[in-house]
Amino acid sequence: MSKPLILVLGDQLSLDQAALRDAPANAVIALCEVTEEGRYVPHHPQKIALIFAAMRHLAQQLRDKGRQVHYSALEDDDNCQDLLDEAERLTTLYDCDEIRVLHPGEWRLLARMKTRKANWTIIEDDRFFCRLEDFAAWIEGRKQPRMENFYRYMRRSTGLLMEDGEPAGGQWNFDHDNRQPIDRNLEVPDLPRHRHDDTTRQVLALVENHFGEHFGSLKGFNWPVTRRQALADLRHFIEHALPDFGRYQDAISDTEPYLFHARLSAAMNIGLLDPREVCEAAEATYYQGNAPINAVEGFIRQILGWREYVRGIYWHKMPGYKRENHLHAKRNLPAFYWTGDTDLRCLKRALEMTRDNAYAHHIQRLMVTGNFALLCGVKPEALCDWYLAVYADAFEWVELPNTLGMVLHADGGLMGSKPYCASGKYIDRMSDHCSQCRYDVKQVTGKNACPFNSLYWHFLEEHAEHLEKNHRMKLIYGSLKRMNDDKRAAMRDQAQSFLKSLAWEPAYGQGDHLDGYRRARDSERKSVD
Ligand code: FAD
Ligand code: DLZ
Ligand code: SF4
């Protein structure tokens, strides 16, 4: 009789995921903590702790259910410290004849599994609304695929927020109601605090010991590490934040990292919550009259629309997608992305929140750190590795299309019909940062001018060839053309001397980020001493 080893990866932590659901009674279930996965980019210590703590709790739950579990702990002497090697070692140890694993969330792992000599079986991951083959069929033959069209297809096929074949509230999209800027007197709900049990405390000490030098603080660790804790976060969001989610979805605060966002992406991505239950809970809140349609539709669109769309794009376009660089961006990452040591207030706060929480909300990622990197011409591989490292919810299937596609426009327009580039004016409108910044957001040139302004016009000039024919960019290129040559030259000089003044991460390559981070951190420490 066949005896499988079921490998459960660190982002597949649901008791009812397909590989576990169909596991025969004699199966050995393996969860493996390995150094290689913690270091291939220098993951934020909170991200590693979240994954290890959730893995250890799931292993215990499986044992409680009478399952045979092998848990490879990071400090075990015989641990190979590589996921695939470790799984194959355990297959021999337990005399198994097959390794079953749910389809991994990153191409690099899938590609390696497919070339191994051992008997690997990849099982379809059904924790999503849209099967990959259905996405492939949807996108087939579409010259200009758009998320909005995919989203309507998904609304129809799931029936979420649909009434007799029509969208609830009479519209597909209520985004025009969702653009309220920050209001300083806004009362924001607190997050639930999760108790650290012995398992979580041991993991926090282990991670501090092995990965403590990575960018990011472990101090405020408050991620849900069990399904029960994740459900408490979901209930809390639905009750306290969802009603205002829409209105303040695009707002940015100098002090509040979460505003009315869900902070549920990490729990969904590692398998503690199912996106279906999250969307259904939001939909029920609308029908109970406890949250308005603009909030509920906006929230469901992020999950049913964007989250499913980016996954479809990733698997449809990989492996070539990772090499795309439509705008020929060439620069390394600004070194301060690893320290937060910058005078640009909006960037400083987004980076500090990232360091403290392994979280920044979407508009911080897109319009602050992302927009700045786009305007500076940071190359995709450098920026993508940073985003993959620093956020607790980051796995390549979701990180790459957002960074390479949505932020850097490096896929030529699959993720957005135009680049999300903006000057300081946008940040000033949506946030309360600028009044606390040493730069003046109203100035474009001069020593106090907000760097986003000259960088913005410089970016438009540099990429006119690619962008000026885009009908959504016509107005802005019209403004650029109407400027006189002296003004344009002054803006160009301002942007170029700002770019020259920045320190950049050293040469890019495997492992160099950590090295770059170490150097940036050490020089910062010296200047403090
Ligand atoms: P909310 O704002 O409350 O949104 C609700 C849910 O919608 C999220 O939990 C998430 O599951 C989903 N969602 C919203 N926007 C997106 C999106 N653009 N793509 C996919 N799902 C979305 N999200 C990740 O889960 N992992 C990543 O690695 C990641 N990297 C990103 C990198 C960049 C450069 C950008 C611009 C966005 C990235 N996102 C990523 C999308 C988004 O920023 C996060 O999902 C969101 O900030 C998570 O916080 P939240 O749960 O409070 O989300
Ligand atoms: C991100 C991560 C880390 C830090 N560590 C582990 C680990 O030790 N074991 C594991 O199974 N998974 C880990 N992961 C997640 C993987 O790197 C990878 O992103 C997913 O397994 C892809 O599905
Ligand atoms: Fe950011 Fe410019 Fe505003 Fe400063 S003035 S916070 S750099 S947008």
Side-chain angles (χ1 to χ4, degrees), residues 191-412:
L191 288 177
R193 294 291 321 168
H194 297 301
R195 194 179 67 82
H196 297 172
D197 62 7
D198 287 347
T199 304
T200 304
R201 276 198 295 274
Q202 281 157 15
V203 164
L204 289 171
L206 176 84
V207 171
E208 179 64 54
N209 198 13
H210 288 264
F211 305 100
E213 66 171 346
H214 290 193
F215 169 74
S217 160
L218 269 176
K219 236 186 270 156
F221 183 89
N222 185 32
W223 292 100
V225 297
T226 61
R227 176 154 166 80
R228 185 193 288 246
Q229 291 181 341
L231 283 170
D233 280 6
L234 172 59
R235 275 195 300 274
H236 183 273
F237 166 70
I238 294 283
E239 208 174 303
H240 300 287
L242 177 61
D244 287 310
F245 172 86
R247 251 191 307 168
Y248 296 110
Q249 196 181 343
D250 287 359
I252 314 174
S253 162
D254 200 68
T255 49
E256 297 294 339
Y258 306 108
L259 293 169
F260 298 92
H261 291 275
R263 208 190 66 139
L264 293 174
S265 49
M268 274 189 275
N269 295 351
I270 69 170
L272 297 181
L273 290 175
D274 188 303
R276 284 166 283 232
E277 71 188 331
V278 174
C279 288
E280 281 161 15
E283 185 190 42
T285 311
Y286 167 64
Y287 285 115
Q288 286 151 7
N290 293 330
I293 186 70
N294 64 305
V296 174
E297 184 284 315
F299 180 70
I300 287 180
R301 176 157 27 90
Q302 305 312 310
I303 298 175
L304 182 67
W306 280 113
R307 188 172 186 270
E308 297 285 324
Y309 187 71
V310 301
R311 176 174 182 257
I313 292 287
Y314 178 78
W315 289 108
H316 188 65
K317 301 296 281 184
M318 280 298 278
Y321 195 67
K322 207 170 168 166
R323 292 190 291 272
E324 291 192 21
N325 189 0
H326 185 71
L327 297 179
H328 306 291
K330 291 188 186 71
R331 288 199 172 81
N332 290 331
L333 194 72
F336 70 73
Y337 273 54
W338 295 113
T339 64
D341 184 18
T342 170
D343 285 348
L344 283 83
R345 179 78 190 182
C346 50
L347 277 160
K348 185 181 181 63
R349 291 303 293 135
L351 295 168
E352 287 171 346
M353 289 179 192
T354 300
R355 177 197 64 201
D356 295 344
N357 308 316
Y359 178 91
H361 64 70
H362 186 64
I363 298 301
Q364 290 174 306
R365 297 187 206 193
L366 183 65
M367 300 310 295
V368 181
T369 44
N371 180 27
F372 186 75
L374 170 73
L375 299 183
C376 288
V378 175
K379 58 189 168 192
E381 63 267 38
L383 192 68
C384 291
D385 276 8
W386 184 80
Y387 276 101
L388 189 60
V390 302
Y391 293 114
D393 59 21
F395 298 92
E396 200 179 76
W397 66 267
V398 50
E399 173 276 322
L400 189 72
N402 272 298
T403 311
L404 182 146
M406 195 183 289
V407 162
L408 292 180
H409 202 67
D411 63 7

Side-chain angles (χ1 to χ4, degrees), residues 492-524:
R492 203 176 304 131
D493 287 350
Q494 175 90 16
Q496 284 169 354
S497 55
F498 175 77
L499 287 169
K500 255 196 214 132
S501 75
L502 283 183
W504 303 90
E505 191 189 40
Y508 170 77
Q510 272 281 332
D512 288 347
H513 292 302
L514 187 53
D515 194 35
Y517 161 57
R518 267 191 212 118
R519 282 192 236 171
R521 180 200 57 193
D522 292 348
S523 73
E524 191 187 22

